[in-house]
Amino acid sequence: MPNKDRIRALLKSIETGDPEPISVVNEGKYIQHNPQTHEGSEGLAALFKRLSQTNPKVNIVRAFEDGDFVFAHTEYDFSRRNIGFEVFRFDQGQAVEHWDNIQPRLGPNLSGHDMVGGPTGARDLEQTEDNRSTVRDFVQTVLIARQVERLDDWITQGAFTEHNPHLTDDLTGLVQHISDKSAVGYHHMHRILAEGDFVLTVCEGSRNGQHSALYDLFRLSEGRIVEHWDTVEKVAPASEWKNDNGKF
């Protein structure tokens, strides 16, 4: 079974309480990068069993595989509805490290798109590395260096679908958003993962002056960025962390 399908089963077991999919995780080596999670304080089987009794809803919208990494786009309905990205690193057939980025579900936006809609399966697998390179250049040039005048090097007006709940398909709003240093800032790209026409970037930056993690998922077609989803999560101060592994 592909690792991405094993992760689908793992995440779904939060809803079902089934302990079998948890065997994909090597709990003895597992490194947890969610700062709000106590590491090693409770076994995953016990945790998921407890969570399942609260009647949660878990939907793995899309999942992808890139070498030793699996990245998934998810929606959760626990006490509130959230959208998340989950990233797992595998070693010798088991998941040994985990990162995530979660925000409340908002929207749909004024273009009528919600935070998880759109295509879900990877295509154009032979274009994976070209698409990874394209998105890396876009993020470094437009989002980090703020060379917004070069946006149309990667995105075409009228051929772009935006799922951010605060933006629309109109690139004018995206340019204004990127240009507003008080609203959002991309400072460093920590990771870029890809499968086919989907590419995920993990960046550190700020939103409204707060230290934040910015996860962006892009879909490409014929070398152009044609669709975008994201989550932004405030990074809690280190004094509030429940483990010492760091958000990134």
Side-chain angles (χ1 to χ4, degrees):
M1 179 186 296
N3 285 338
K4 60 185 174 184
D5 291 338
R6 299 169 73 197
I7 291 300
R8 283 182 180 274
L10 172 70
L11 295 174
K12 196 65 176 177
S13 69
I14 297 173
E15 180 180 300
T16 65
D18 180 4
E20 178 60 29
I22 294 169
S23 64
V24 71
V25 176
N26 185 331
E27 296 192 63
K29 294 183 177 181
Y30 195 59
I31 301 171
Q32 172 62 259
H33 289 277
N34 183 324
Q36 303 303 312
T37 300
H38 284 290
E39 191 168 51
S41 61
E42 183 178 18
L44 285 178
L47 171 62
F48 285 12
K49 183 66 174 179
R50 177 169 58 82
L51 289 174
S52 71
Q53 294 170 353
T54 66
N55 195 34
K57 301 299 180 190
V58 179
N59 180 29
I60 301 89
V61 180
R62 42 182 70 86
F64 308 101
E65 198 162 338
D66 181 4
D68 293 333
F69 289 88
V70 168
F71 55 106
H73 196 189
T74 58
E75 54 181 347
Y76 300 107
D77 188 352
F78 293 177
S79 57
R80 64 179 184 178
R81 300 181 72 189
N82 287 323
I83 304 300
F85 287 103
E86 310 280 347
V87 176
F88 293 86
R89 182 176 66 83
F90 277 72
D91 181 47
Q92 297 182 348
Q94 287 187 292
V96 296
E97 198 162 8
H98 169 253
W99 302 258
D100 64 5
N101 211 53
I102 297 171
Q103 76 165 69
R105 179 166 186 154
L106 303 170
N109 62 28
L110 292 179
S111 291
H113 309 306
D114 67 26
M115 291 181 68
V116 296
T120 58
R123 302 176 61 182
D124 303 328
L125 298 183
E126 72 284 356
Q127 296 297 317
T128 296
E129 295 309 319
D130 286 344
N131 288 337
R132 190 197 312 270
S133 179
T134 295
V135 169
R136 179 185 288 111
D137 290 345
F138 169 77
V139 171
Q140 294 286 6
T141 303
V142 177
L143 299 184
I144 294 177
R146 294 183 189 272
Q147 296 181 28
V148 293
E149 71 279 2
R150 292 191 57 191
L151 185 71
D152 60 5
D153 288 356
W154 289 273
I155 305 177
T156 302
Q157 179 74 278
F160 177 67
T161 301
E162 176 63 75
H163 292 272
N164 181 302
H166 304 294
L167 298 173
T168 71
D169 297 346
D170 184 354
L171 297 184
T172 302
L174 180 58
V175 168
Q176 293 173 345
H177 179 69
I178 297 169
S179 301
D180 185 356
K181 294 182 179 181
S182 66
V184 63
Y186 285 75
H187 304 154
H188 179 71
M189 182 165 55
H190 286 270
R191 182 168 285 108
I192 181 167
L193 301 170
E195 184 183 10
D197 54 341
F198 283 89
V199 182
L200 177 74
T201 60
V202 176
C203 292
E204 185 172 2
S206 61
R207 182 177 65 174
N208 299 327
Q210 296 181 326
H211 183 202
S212 298
L214 305 107
Y215 280 47
D216 292 272
L217 181 66
F218 303 90
R219 186 174 67 84
L220 293 88
S221 178
E222 298 180 351
R224 306 284 289 177
I225 295 172
V226 296
E227 198 158 8
H228 170 254
W229 304 257
D230 67 342
T231 62
V232 183
E233 184 178 10
K234 175 187 174 183
V235 179
S239 60
E240 298 177 10
W241 291 0
K242 298 177 181 178
N243 63 62
D244 297 323
N245 300 320
K247 176 72 172 175
F248 301 97

